[in-house]
Amino acid sequence: MTSEEIKINVEKALEEIRPFLQSDGGDITLVSIENDTSVKVRLEGNCIGCSVNQMTLKSGVEMTIKKYVPQIEEVINLS
C-alpha cells in the first residue's frame, strides 16, 4: 500500500467511526501518519474530557483503522 492509499484508507476508517463520536458531542481529526505505521489523531469536543477516551481510542478508533490498514501499529491522540 502506498502512503497515499494509507492516508485514503485511514480517512475512510475515521469516516466510519466519526458518527459514533459525533453522537456523543465529539469528533476526531487526522493530524499525521508517520512512517506508514503510526497514526496521530486529535480527539475533539466532548471526547477531550471524556473519562473513557483512551478506551474509545484503542477499542474503537485503532481497531477500525487497522481493519482498513492492517500495517498501522499504533494510534496516538494528541491532546
Side-chain angles (χ1 to χ4, degrees):
M1 212 179 274
T2 67
S3 294
E4 185 60 29
E5 290 170 324
I6 290 170
K7 183 175 191 279
I8 289 167
N9 285 329
V10 168
E11 289 284 6
K12 285 181 189 174
L14 295 180
E15 287 303 317
E16 182 178 314
I17 197 129
R18 189 168 277 123
F20 299 102
L21 298 174
Q22 290 174 339
S23 71
D24 287 329
D27 207 343
I28 191 166
T29 300
L30 175 62
V31 176
S32 65
I33 301 170
E34 316 241 331
N35 303 318
D36 294 340
T37 59
S38 179
V39 176
K40 293 185 178 176
V41 297
R42 181 168 288 114
L43 291 171
E44 300 170 344
N46 285 345
C47 291
I48 294 170
C50 179
S51 61
V52 295
N53 70 7
Q54 284 305 309
M55 188 174 77
T56 299
L57 189 68
K58 292 295 175 190
S59 300
V61 177
E62 188 170 291
M63 186 178 73
T64 304
I65 289 174
K66 286 180 176 181
K67 181 173 76 174
Y68 284 85
V69 190
Q71 72 200 56
I72 295 298
E73 296 172 3
E74 65 179 347
V75 177
I76 301 166
N77 178 42
L78 302 176
S79 41

Short mmCIF file of all heavy atoms in Angstrom, two decimals, residues 3 12-13 16 23-24 33-34 41 48-49 58 72-74 78:
data_model
loop_
_atom_site.label_atom_id
_atom_site.label_comp_id
_atom_site.label_asym_id
_atom_site.label_seq_id
_atom_site.Cartn_x
_atom_site.Cartn_y
_atom_site.Cartn_z
N SER A 3 1.79 5.34 0.45
CA SER A 3 1.47 6.31 1.51
C SER A 3 0.13 7.00 1.24
O SER A 3 -0.65 7.24 2.16
CB SER A 3 2.57 7.35 1.63
OG SER A 3 3.75 6.75 2.09
N LYS A 12 -11.06 6.88 5.48
CA LYS A 12 -12.28 6.07 5.39
C LYS A 12 -12.63 5.49 6.76
O LYS A 12 -13.80 5.47 7.15
CB LYS A 12 -12.11 4.92 4.39
CG LYS A 12 -12.16 5.33 2.95
CD LYS A 12 -11.99 4.10 2.05
CE LYS A 12 -11.82 4.48 0.60
NZ LYS A 12 -11.52 3.30 -0.24
N ALA A 13 -11.62 5.03 7.47
CA ALA A 13 -11.84 4.47 8.82
C ALA A 13 -12.39 5.54 9.76
O ALA A 13 -13.32 5.30 10.53
CB ALA A 13 -10.54 3.89 9.37
N GLU A 16 -15.95 6.21 9.17
CA GLU A 16 -16.80 5.16 9.74
C GLU A 16 -17.06 5.39 11.22
O GLU A 16 -18.17 5.18 11.70
CB GLU A 16 -16.15 3.79 9.52
CG GLU A 16 -16.99 2.64 10.04
CD GLU A 16 -16.37 1.28 9.77
OE1 GLU A 16 -15.90 1.04 8.64
OE2 GLU A 16 -16.35 0.47 10.71
N SER A 23 -22.22 11.57 17.86
CA SER A 23 -23.47 11.35 18.60
C SER A 23 -23.30 11.65 20.08
O SER A 23 -24.28 11.91 20.78
CB SER A 23 -23.98 9.92 18.38
OG SER A 23 -23.15 8.99 19.06
N ASP A 24 -22.05 11.63 20.56
CA ASP A 24 -21.76 11.97 21.95
C ASP A 24 -21.17 13.37 22.08
O ASP A 24 -20.61 13.73 23.11
CB ASP A 24 -20.78 10.95 22.55
CG ASP A 24 -21.44 9.61 22.81
OD1 ASP A 24 -22.66 9.58 23.10
OD2 ASP A 24 -20.74 8.58 22.73
N ILE A 33 0.34 10.88 9.59
CA ILE A 33 0.69 9.46 9.53
C ILE A 33 2.20 9.42 9.40
O ILE A 33 2.77 9.99 8.46
CB ILE A 33 0.01 8.75 8.34
CG1 ILE A 33 -1.51 8.88 8.44
CG2 ILE A 33 0.44 7.28 8.29
CD1 ILE A 33 -2.27 8.43 7.22
N GLU A 34 2.86 8.75 10.34
CA GLU A 34 4.32 8.73 10.37
C GLU A 34 4.83 7.34 9.99
O GLU A 34 4.38 6.33 10.52
CB GLU A 34 4.81 9.08 11.78
CG GLU A 34 4.05 10.24 12.36
CD GLU A 34 4.92 11.42 12.68
OE1 GLU A 34 6.08 11.20 12.97
OE2 GLU A 34 4.40 12.54 12.62
N VAL A 41 -3.88 11.39 15.79
CA VAL A 41 -5.21 11.99 15.66
C VAL A 41 -5.42 12.98 16.80
O VAL A 41 -4.66 13.01 17.77
CB VAL A 41 -6.33 10.92 15.70
CG1 VAL A 41 -6.21 9.97 14.52
CG2 VAL A 41 -6.34 10.16 17.02
N ILE A 48 -12.60 15.20 24.51
CA ILE A 48 -11.41 15.71 25.20
C ILE A 48 -11.45 15.37 26.69
O ILE A 48 -10.50 14.85 27.24
CB ILE A 48 -11.25 17.23 24.99
CG1 ILE A 48 -10.97 17.52 23.52
CG2 ILE A 48 -10.14 17.79 25.87
CD1 ILE A 48 -11.02 18.99 23.16
N GLY A 49 -12.55 15.65 27.34
CA GLY A 49 -12.61 15.43 28.78
C GLY A 49 -13.26 14.12 29.18
O GLY A 49 -13.45 13.86 30.36
N LYS A 58 -8.47 3.13 21.65
CA LYS A 58 -7.92 1.80 21.39
C LYS A 58 -8.96 0.85 20.81
O LYS A 58 -8.73 0.19 19.80
CB LYS A 58 -7.32 1.19 22.67
CG LYS A 58 -6.09 1.92 23.16
CD LYS A 58 -4.96 1.77 22.17
CE LYS A 58 -3.74 2.59 22.58
NZ LYS A 58 -2.74 2.64 21.56
N ILE A 72 -0.85 -0.52 10.17
CA ILE A 72 -0.76 0.51 11.22
C ILE A 72 -0.51 -0.19 12.56
O ILE A 72 -1.21 -1.11 12.94
CB ILE A 72 -2.06 1.37 11.27
CG1 ILE A 72 -2.23 2.16 9.98
CG2 ILE A 72 -2.06 2.27 12.50
CD1 ILE A 72 -1.13 3.16 9.68
N GLU A 73 0.50 0.29 13.26
CA GLU A 73 0.90 -0.31 14.52
C GLU A 73 0.34 0.40 15.74
O GLU A 73 0.13 -0.20 16.78
CB GLU A 73 2.43 -0.36 14.62
CG GLU A 73 3.05 -1.25 13.56
CD GLU A 73 4.56 -1.14 13.51
OE1 GLU A 73 5.16 -0.41 14.34
OE2 GLU A 73 5.15 -1.79 12.63
N GLU A 74 0.11 1.72 15.62
CA GLU A 74 -0.39 2.46 16.77
C GLU A 74 -1.17 3.68 16.33
O GLU A 74 -0.95 4.22 15.26
CB GLU A 74 0.76 2.88 17.69
CG GLU A 74 1.72 3.86 17.05
CD GLU A 74 2.85 4.29 17.97
OE1 GLU A 74 2.76 4.04 19.18
OE2 GLU A 74 3.81 4.88 17.47
N LEU A 78 -3.23 13.23 20.14
CA LEU A 78 -2.50 14.45 20.52
C LEU A 78 -3.51 15.37 21.19
O LEU A 78 -4.45 15.82 20.57
CB LEU A 78 -1.90 15.13 19.29
CG LEU A 78 -0.94 14.30 18.46
CD1 LEU A 78 -0.51 15.06 17.23
CD2 LEU A 78 0.26 13.89 19.28
#
